[in-house]
Amino acid sequence: YGTLLPAPIIGKRCAAELKTLKSAGHELGLHSWDHVYWHDQLDRMDLAEVKAEYERGWTAFLDLFGEAPRAVAAPGWTATPASLALHDLKRLDYASDGRGESPFRPSMGGREFLTPQIPTTLPTLDEALGLDGTTRENFVERTLALLRPNALHVYGAHGEAEGRGYQAEFDRLLRGARERSFEGHPLREAERASVPVRLLERKEIPGRAGLVSVQGGS
């Protein structure tokens, strides 16, 4: 879907399931209106084009849940100065558009932005499998070995993987983290009141094709 076939409108097709997630207390945010289009075309879009695409997702979220999203996460960890500017205009609580180690305010294209970023810190399943000898059998233990006390750990799970064929591995990952005294929290609870400004740079990372937005230095 979305490449060869028209993408379904998930907000309409799965409205009941999405509302159930919200009523269960899960934190929900905007991922995009069209995942593939955003990921593939964002670098070619000016602020007006980004705003038009952004508003389509924003309106769909508002129609579905009766309230605007307070956070966003970019498809494929793809961000530009134009998309970061839209976050500020929307006065979001935070965004999660990149990869990194700790919360920060992004600087990109010679401009500093106000909306804090809470980056994904751990490799994803699709990145890890087949890389440096990682297999389905040892993925969980290798990921758990990356956890460190008193550090932020954000894992990017995908419904089509951890929610389906790799659900057993995801369950073991969550159990293993709890057994090591790591507790799960919504991203909104991550400390972001006083965070440093850091570059948000486009780089390659192991196991993933193309460039992603990565937390850099000051």
Side-chain angles (χ1 to χ4, degrees):
Y1 284 122
T3 303
L4 297 177
L5 300 175
I9 308 300
I10 298 173
K12 294 181 178 180
R13 177 178 293 187
C14 302
E17 290 87 345
L18 291 168
K19 290 179 179 178
T20 297
L21 290 173
K22 186 176 187 300
S23 64
H26 291 284
E27 182 179 18
L28 300 181
L30 178 62
H31 192 39
S32 67
W33 168 257
D34 185 324
H35 188 289
V36 173
Y37 184 77
W38 182 278
H39 181 270
D40 292 350
Q41 301 299 324
L42 183 62
D43 285 329
R44 304 177 179 88
M45 295 161 62
D46 61 21
L47 182 60
E49 292 170 315
V50 174
K51 188 176 187 298
E53 187 70 10
Y54 204 107
E55 290 295 344
R56 296 181 75 184
W58 190 273
T59 300
F61 190 102
L62 183 61
D63 289 345
L64 178 61
F65 296 113
E67 60 185 36
R70 299 306 313 146
V72 303
W77 299 277
T78 306
T80 65
S83 68
L84 298 178
L86 262 295
H87 298 345
D88 287 357
L89 287 173
K90 290 295 188 180
R91 298 185 178 182
L92 296 172
D93 292 339
Y94 71 88
S96 188
D97 295 330
R99 312 297 288 266
E101 298 180 353
S102 58
F104 65 100
R105 281 201 302 112
S107 171
M108 198 178 207
R111 176 181 171 187
E112 292 182 8
F113 298 91
L114 299 175
T115 306
Q117 289 281 335
I118 304 178
T120 299
T121 67
L122 296 169
T124 63
L125 174 69
D126 58 331
E127 292 165 0
L129 289 180
L131 188 68
D132 297 328
T134 300
T135 65
R136 184 170 191 156
E137 290 70 30
N138 64 24
F139 164 75
V140 171
E141 289 304 317
R142 287 194 170 195
T143 302
L144 292 172
L146 299 174
L147 304 184
R148 297 290 181 266
N150 303 315
L152 173 73
H153 299 296
V154 179
Y155 178 77
H158 293 84
E160 65 273 22
E162 286 90 342
R164 296 176 67 85
Y166 289 87
Q167 192 175 81
E169 285 76 15
F170 189 48
D171 287 342
R172 286 199 291 114
L173 180 63
L174 296 178
R175 288 199 305 271
R178 286 194 295 268
E179 290 168 358
R180 289 161 173 77
S181 300
F182 290 93
E183 297 182 3
H185 295 275
L187 286 188
R188 63 174 177 263
E189 295 182 6
E191 175 58 45
R192 58 182 191 275
S194 177
V195 293
V197 175
R198 294 288 183 264
L199 291 174
L200 189 59
E201 306 170 291
R202 299 289 289 280
K203 294 182 177 181
E204 292 184 350
I205 61 174
R208 183 162 294 280
L211 302 177
V212 301
S213 304
V214 178
Q215 179 182 4
S218 57

